[in-house]
Structures are given as C-alpha cells and as structure tokens.
Amino acid sequence: MPSIKVAILGFGTVGEGIYRILNERKEEIQQETGHTIDVVSILVRDTSKVRLSTPGTTVTDNIQDILSNADIDVVFEAIVGEEPAYTYLSDAIEKGCHIITANKTMFAKHGPALLKHAEFRGVKVCYEATTAGGVPIIRTIKGLLPADRVQRVRGILNGTSNFILTKMREEKVSFEVALQEAQALGYAEADPTDDIGGKDAFRKLMILSALAFGKQPDWKDVPVVGIDSVTIEDVKAASENTCRYRHIADISIDENGVLQGSVGPVLIGTDHPLYGVDGVDNAIIVDTDHLGALTLIGPGAGMYPTASAMVSDLLQVIGKRTATFATN
Ligand code: NAP
Ligand code: HSE
C-alpha cells in the first residue's frame, strides 16, 4: 500500500493528539484512503523532555532534519507563536509539502501569504484547527461560498474564556482557580494572557473575516476586551437577573463592503442563541443572504477535538481511495 509521510511540528497537547489519532485510527484511514500514514519526524524545542513513546519516528529539535527530507509529503504544525512557525511553513511549502496548521497566532497574520504561496506551488494549506478547535467552521464557510454571501459571523471563539465563565457561574470558583483547571485540561495556551485578554478570540475572528469576506479590517479598529475584566460579583449579579456573560467575537460587513468588528464580554438573556453554550464549547452563528442563520456548536479546545480537526484536514488532502493523492 502506498505511504504518505508526515512530520509533526510540536508535540504538546495538539501534536501528541495528532500522533495518537493517526495510530488509533490507522486501519480505518488505510481503508478510507488506500494509504498508510507514516509519522517520519517530530519537531520539539527540548529533546530531553520525557514524552509519549513514538517508535520508528525521529524526534528532533532541528527543522532542517525535516525540511531536508524529500520524502515528507505533509507537515502538521502545532508549535507556538508567529515565528519560527511562519518561516518553517513557508519553507515546507517551497519544498512542495502540504501543510496543516493549528497555529492561529501565526495564521491570523500570515495566512493570506501562506495560501498564496501554496497556490503558486500547487500544494494545500489547511487550517480548520486554528479556529474553534474541533468545530468545522472553516469547512462550513468554504462550503457556503460563493452560493451564499456571508453578512455576519459572531460567536464564542475562546474555549478557555467560556470554561472560566461557566465555572465561575456554576461552581462559584474564583477566576484563578477556573483558569488553573483550564490550563491543566490543555485548553489554555502555555501563556494564557491572550486567552483571557481577548486576543486569541480576536485572531480567530480575523481568520474568519479573511475567509468569509476576503479581507480583514484594520486590526487597530477592532476593540478587544477580555474576560479578565469580569469579576465573580459580576457573574453572580448576572445570574440573579437570569443573564449570563459570554465572550463574543463579532464581525459584519455593510452594503459598502465596510467591516465592523468587536471582541468582548457581553451580558445576554435567556432568549439569546448563545445563552446555553457552556464549558469549553465554542459556538459560531453565520448569517448569510440565502441560507439565513446557521449555528455550529462544539468543543473549542483540547487535545482530541483539535487533533481530530487536523486529521480530518489530512483526509481531505489525501482524498478518498478512488481519488489520486494530490502531490505537486
Ligand atoms: P503546547 O502544549 O505548549 O505544545 C507546544 C509544542 O510545540 C511543544 O512540544 C514544544 O516543544 C513545541 N515548540 C514550541 N515552540 C517551538 C519551536 N520554536 N521549535 C520547535 N518546537 C517548538 O501547545 P499546544 O496546546 O499543543 O498548542 C500548539 C498550537 O496549537 C498553538 O499554536 C496553539 O495556539 C494551537 N491550538 C491549541 C489548541 C489547544 O486546545 N491546546 C487548540 C487549537 C489550537 P517542547 O515540548 O520541547 O517544549
Ligand atoms: N486556548 C485556546 C482556547 C485553544 O481556549 O480556545 C483553542 O484555540
């Protein structure tokens, strides 16, 4: 059976999840695609850390070990921050690899350039996991276009924030305790500043804006507020009035093509479609001219939901058994 050789950049919560799913679903993937998937190399920062055993796979801290391997077809990227991720992925595209990324910090800024570069090189860039974890929002919006015109996208785009707000309301725990739990569960970033400060949701909103509207607003024109401004007293007072705080990212386009975005905590009542979305779940409402309003809800962070989105991306790149694997 032909084999597809992949590398995984980053072996933390998400990278390890990709490896686990590829192993757990080995036979099903072979049946579906007619290919075996071989994880050839894993890139980490610190090779001395104790990790899940990955027999037959090289674990390296040198990206050149991966970029110089002409056999690698697909690069999964699950490292942290804009750089060196952007450079690594640009180099991988240049070498003719398909890329699949979860890195929204990098993709919000460099996604358009990577997509252009990949089109020129005849390879694919998949980024489902950058936005709303396991919720297939990228695929859904792509599927709607161009038959539908998107007018507005809004929703809960940060799992950590929603988890913390839910814990504060349901269990009356402090912000700090709830954040520690989100970190232990692998929802929060290693540095959670951007989760609780709203920047993480903002970046996801910019990724959705580029996809849905073909452009992003000037970043400095979008007000960004985090849930770090919400106290346990605020949450309690809201509950007493049958209201809830939700951290909502919202972007819309007017008839002149002008984008209007905002990110921040919003107090909502029982009649709001996001009222019942609790825990680590994300929810996105997409308003379009023909379909109307479509809502997607599901796990917005964590090892398996995120890695599942990335493995689904891989399956899309490979195609079904009858189709041909799209190498360049
Ligand atoms: P993580 O647990 O902190 O793991 C990051 C991994 O990347 C580690 O294995 C680390 O190596 C490696 N790494 C970081 N910088 C590197 C560098 N410069 N060179 C080589 N390796 C490097 O992070 P994560 O939660 O898996 O998240 C990974 C990416 O996915 C991030 O961009 C994150 O925003 C995104 N994401 C996360 C989730 C989630 O639920 N966690 C969901 C969607 C998207 P060491 O192990 O040696 O330190
Ligand atoms: N830290 C992010 C969140 C991970 O909590 O939503 C998913 O992107």
mmCIF file of all heavy atoms in Angstrom, residues 177-202:
data_model
loop_
_atom_site.group_PDB
_atom_site.id
_atom_site.type_symbol
_atom_site.label_atom_id
_atom_site.label_comp_id
_atom_site.label_asym_id
_atom_site.label_seq_id
_atom_site.Cartn_x
_atom_site.Cartn_y
_atom_site.Cartn_z
ATOM 1 N N VAL A 177 -8.794 29.974 40.045
ATOM 2 C CA VAL A 177 -8.967 28.516 40.164
ATOM 3 C C VAL A 177 -9.480 27.936 38.840
ATOM 4 O O VAL A 177 -9.011 26.907 38.354
ATOM 5 C CB VAL A 177 -9.928 28.170 41.338
ATOM 6 C CG1 VAL A 177 -10.357 26.717 41.298
ATOM 7 C CG2 VAL A 177 -9.250 28.501 42.665
ATOM 8 N N ALA A 178 -10.445 28.632 38.241
ATOM 9 C CA ALA A 178 -11.006 28.159 36.970
ATOM 10 C C ALA A 178 -9.934 28.167 35.872
ATOM 11 O O ALA A 178 -9.849 27.234 35.068
ATOM 12 C CB ALA A 178 -12.187 29.039 36.566
ATOM 13 N N LEU A 179 -9.091 29.200 35.863
ATOM 14 C CA LEU A 179 -8.022 29.275 34.862
ATOM 15 C C LEU A 179 -7.032 28.127 35.038
ATOM 16 O O LEU A 179 -6.603 27.500 34.058
ATOM 17 C CB LEU A 179 -7.296 30.628 34.952
ATOM 18 C CG LEU A 179 -6.047 30.775 34.074
ATOM 19 C CD1 LEU A 179 -6.366 30.584 32.593
ATOM 20 C CD2 LEU A 179 -5.399 32.151 34.273
ATOM 21 N N GLN A 180 -6.686 27.829 36.291
ATOM 22 C CA GLN A 180 -5.750 26.712 36.544
ATOM 23 C C GLN A 180 -6.308 25.406 35.997
ATOM 24 O O GLN A 180 -5.582 24.596 35.427
ATOM 25 C CB GLN A 180 -5.500 26.566 38.041
ATOM 26 C CG GLN A 180 -4.399 27.486 38.545
ATOM 27 C CD GLN A 180 -4.365 27.552 40.071
ATOM 28 O OE1 GLN A 180 -4.910 26.696 40.759
ATOM 29 N NE2 GLN A 180 -3.735 28.594 40.576
ATOM 30 N N GLU A 181 -7.619 25.209 36.151
ATOM 31 C CA GLU A 181 -8.226 23.974 35.648
ATOM 32 C C GLU A 181 -8.176 23.946 34.103
ATOM 33 O O GLU A 181 -7.896 22.905 33.500
ATOM 34 C CB GLU A 181 -9.661 23.840 36.153
ATOM 35 C CG GLU A 181 -10.144 22.414 36.013
ATOM 36 C CD GLU A 181 -11.514 22.182 36.642
ATOM 37 O OE1 GLU A 181 -11.913 22.940 37.548
ATOM 38 O OE2 GLU A 181 -12.184 21.234 36.199
ATOM 39 N N ALA A 182 -8.441 25.096 33.483
ATOM 40 C CA ALA A 182 -8.389 25.174 32.007
ATOM 41 C C ALA A 182 -6.979 24.873 31.515
ATOM 42 O O ALA A 182 -6.793 24.234 30.469
ATOM 43 C CB ALA A 182 -8.832 26.557 31.540
ATOM 44 N N GLN A 183 -5.984 25.289 32.277
ATOM 45 C CA GLN A 183 -4.592 25.005 31.891
ATOM 46 C C GLN A 183 -4.306 23.511 32.035
ATOM 47 O O GLN A 183 -3.698 22.898 31.152
ATOM 48 C CB GLN A 183 -3.628 25.829 32.752
ATOM 49 C CG GLN A 183 -3.631 27.298 32.377
ATOM 50 C CD GLN A 183 -2.761 28.147 33.290
ATOM 51 O OE1 GLN A 183 -2.967 28.186 34.495
ATOM 52 N NE2 GLN A 183 -1.785 28.833 32.709
ATOM 53 N N ALA A 184 -4.753 22.937 33.156
ATOM 54 C CA ALA A 184 -4.492 21.510 33.399
ATOM 55 C C ALA A 184 -5.166 20.634 32.338
ATOM 56 O O ALA A 184 -4.655 19.575 31.980
ATOM 57 C CB ALA A 184 -5.001 21.128 34.789
ATOM 58 N N LEU A 185 -6.291 21.084 31.823
ATOM 59 C CA LEU A 185 -7.017 20.305 30.817
ATOM 60 C C LEU A 185 -6.479 20.530 29.397
ATOM 61 O O LEU A 185 -6.982 19.933 28.443
ATOM 62 C CB LEU A 185 -8.516 20.663 30.868
ATOM 63 C CG LEU A 185 -9.253 20.153 32.119
ATOM 64 C CD1 LEU A 185 -10.602 20.855 32.276
ATOM 65 C CD2 LEU A 185 -9.448 18.647 32.045
ATOM 66 N N GLY A 186 -5.478 21.403 29.254
ATOM 67 C CA GLY A 186 -4.874 21.638 27.928
ATOM 68 C C GLY A 186 -5.689 22.590 27.069
ATOM 69 O O GLY A 186 -5.462 22.673 25.864
ATOM 70 N N TYR A 187 -6.630 23.345 27.681
ATOM 71 C CA TYR A 187 -7.428 24.292 26.897
ATOM 72 C C TYR A 187 -6.682 25.615 26.712
ATOM 73 O O TYR A 187 -6.696 26.192 25.631
ATOM 74 C CB TYR A 187 -8.767 24.611 27.592
ATOM 75 C CG TYR A 187 -9.650 23.428 27.882
ATOM 76 C CD1 TYR A 187 -10.591 23.469 28.916
ATOM 77 C CD2 TYR A 187 -9.578 22.261 27.115
ATOM 78 C CE1 TYR A 187 -11.424 22.402 29.176
ATOM 79 C CE2 TYR A 187 -10.408 21.180 27.394
ATOM 80 C CZ TYR A 187 -11.323 21.258 28.431
ATOM 81 O OH TYR A 187 -12.153 20.205 28.707
ATOM 82 N N ALA A 188 -6.082 26.079 27.789
ATOM 83 C CA ALA A 188 -5.419 27.392 27.751
ATOM 84 C C ALA A 188 -4.057 27.269 27.082
ATOM 85 O O ALA A 188 -3.445 26.204 27.065
ATOM 86 C CB ALA A 188 -5.266 27.933 29.162
ATOM 87 N N GLU A 189 -3.592 28.372 26.513
ATOM 88 C CA GLU A 189 -2.236 28.416 25.956
ATOM 89 C C GLU A 189 -1.239 28.342 27.116
ATOM 90 O O GLU A 189 -1.592 28.639 28.261
ATOM 91 C CB GLU A 189 -2.032 29.739 25.200
ATOM 92 C CG GLU A 189 -3.064 30.031 24.132
ATOM 93 C CD GLU A 189 -3.074 29.013 22.995
ATOM 94 O OE1 GLU A 189 -2.011 28.666 22.475
ATOM 95 O OE2 GLU A 189 -4.170 28.547 22.629
ATOM 96 N N ALA A 190 0.015 27.960 26.781
ATOM 97 C CA ALA A 190 1.047 27.879 27.815
ATOM 98 C C ALA A 190 1.127 29.221 28.556
ATOM 99 O O ALA A 190 1.236 29.263 29.777
ATOM 100 C CB ALA A 190 2.383 27.517 27.179
ATOM 101 N N ASP A 191 1.042 30.314 27.801
ATOM 102 C CA ASP A 191 0.875 31.637 28.397
ATOM 103 C C ASP A 191 -0.573 32.056 28.115
ATOM 104 O O ASP A 191 -0.910 32.387 26.968
ATOM 105 C CB ASP A 191 1.858 32.631 27.770
ATOM 106 C CG ASP A 191 1.636 34.052 28.283
ATOM 107 O OD1 ASP A 191 0.651 34.279 29.023
ATOM 108 O OD2 ASP A 191 2.428 34.935 27.921
ATOM 109 N N PRO A 192 -1.445 32.045 29.145
ATOM 110 C CA PRO A 192 -2.887 32.268 28.884
ATOM 111 C C PRO A 192 -3.296 33.734 28.725
ATOM 112 O O PRO A 192 -4.490 34.027 28.620
ATOM 113 C CB PRO A 192 -3.537 31.653 30.124
ATOM 114 C CG PRO A 192 -2.533 31.849 31.211
ATOM 115 C CD PRO A 192 -1.166 31.788 30.570
ATOM 116 N N THR A 193 -2.322 34.639 28.679
ATOM 117 C CA THR A 193 -2.654 36.076 28.608
ATOM 118 C C THR A 193 -3.631 36.384 27.471
ATOM 119 O O THR A 193 -4.597 37.135 27.639
ATOM 120 C CB THR A 193 -1.361 36.906 28.393
ATOM 121 O OG1 THR A 193 -0.396 36.466 29.335
ATOM 122 C CG2 THR A 193 -1.610 38.382 28.562
ATOM 123 N N ASP A 194 -3.379 35.800 26.289
ATOM 124 C CA ASP A 194 -4.216 36.126 25.130
ATOM 125 C C ASP A 194 -5.581 35.438 25.178
ATOM 126 O O ASP A 194 -6.530 35.910 24.555
ATOM 127 C CB ASP A 194 -3.484 35.752 23.827
ATOM 128 C CG ASP A 194 -2.279 36.659 23.598
ATOM 129 O OD1 ASP A 194 -2.150 37.676 24.304
ATOM 130 O OD2 ASP A 194 -1.468 36.339 22.711
ATOM 131 N N ASP A 195 -5.666 34.309 25.913
ATOM 132 C CA ASP A 195 -6.979 33.677 26.100
ATOM 133 C C ASP A 195 -7.889 34.606 26.892
ATOM 134 O O ASP A 195 -8.990 34.941 26.462
ATOM 135 C CB ASP A 195 -6.835 32.365 26.897
ATOM 136 C CG ASP A 195 -6.236 31.227 26.092
ATOM 137 O OD1 ASP A 195 -6.730 30.967 24.992
ATOM 138 O OD2 ASP A 195 -5.286 30.583 26.586
ATOM 139 N N ILE A 196 -7.403 35.018 28.059
ATOM 140 C CA ILE A 196 -8.268 35.789 28.960
ATOM 141 C C ILE A 196 -8.316 37.276 28.593
ATOM 142 O O ILE A 196 -9.239 37.974 28.987
ATOM 143 C CB ILE A 196 -7.840 35.607 30.444
ATOM 144 C CG1 ILE A 196 -6.400 36.067 30.658
ATOM 145 C CG2 ILE A 196 -8.015 34.165 30.873
ATOM 146 C CD1 ILE A 196 -5.958 36.006 32.116
ATOM 147 N N GLY A 197 -7.358 37.720 27.784
ATOM 148 C CA GLY A 197 -7.329 39.133 27.386
ATOM 149 C C GLY A 197 -8.065 39.396 26.083
ATOM 150 O O GLY A 197 -8.162 40.548 25.632
ATOM 151 N N GLY A 198 -8.571 38.349 25.434
ATOM 152 C CA GLY A 198 -9.395 38.523 24.235
ATOM 153 C C GLY A 198 -8.648 38.441 22.909
ATOM 154 O O GLY A 198 -9.260 38.355 21.843
ATOM 155 N N LYS A 199 -7.299 38.465 22.948
ATOM 156 C CA LYS A 199 -6.558 38.493 21.675
ATOM 157 C C LYS A 199 -6.682 37.182 20.901
ATOM 158 O O LYS A 199 -6.634 37.161 19.673
ATOM 159 C CB LYS A 199 -5.071 38.771 21.940
ATOM 160 C CG LYS A 199 -4.758 40.227 22.109
ATOM 161 C CD LYS A 199 -3.264 40.434 22.022
ATOM 162 C CE LYS A 199 -2.902 41.858 22.323
ATOM 163 N NZ LYS A 199 -1.506 41.991 22.737
ATOM 164 N N ASP A 200 -6.812 36.074 21.639
ATOM 165 C CA ASP A 200 -6.940 34.782 20.958
ATOM 166 C C ASP A 200 -8.237 34.753 20.127
ATOM 167 O O ASP A 200 -8.230 34.377 18.953
ATOM 168 C CB ASP A 200 -6.935 33.644 21.990
ATOM 169 C CG ASP A 200 -7.079 32.287 21.345
ATOM 170 O OD1 ASP A 200 -6.076 31.761 20.820
ATOM 171 O OD2 ASP A 200 -8.208 31.755 21.319
ATOM 172 N N ALA A 201 -9.345 35.203 20.744
ATOM 173 C CA ALA A 201 -10.621 35.245 20.015
ATOM 174 C C ALA A 201 -10.528 36.235 18.857
ATOM 175 O O ALA A 201 -11.062 35.986 17.772
ATOM 176 C CB ALA A 201 -11.749 35.631 20.964
ATOM 177 N N PHE A 202 -9.838 37.349 19.079
ATOM 178 C CA PHE A 202 -9.661 38.348 18.016
ATOM 179 C C PHE A 202 -8.961 37.736 16.800
ATOM 180 O O PHE A 202 -9.380 37.923 15.661
ATOM 181 C CB PHE A 202 -8.856 39.543 18.555
ATOM 182 C CG PHE A 202 -8.299 40.420 17.483
ATOM 183 C CD1 PHE A 202 -9.128 41.334 16.833
ATOM 184 C CD2 PHE A 202 -6.972 40.319 17.090
ATOM 185 C CE1 PHE A 202 -8.621 42.133 15.811
ATOM 186 C CE2 PHE A 202 -6.463 41.116 16.077
ATOM 187 C CZ PHE A 202 -7.289 42.025 15.433
#
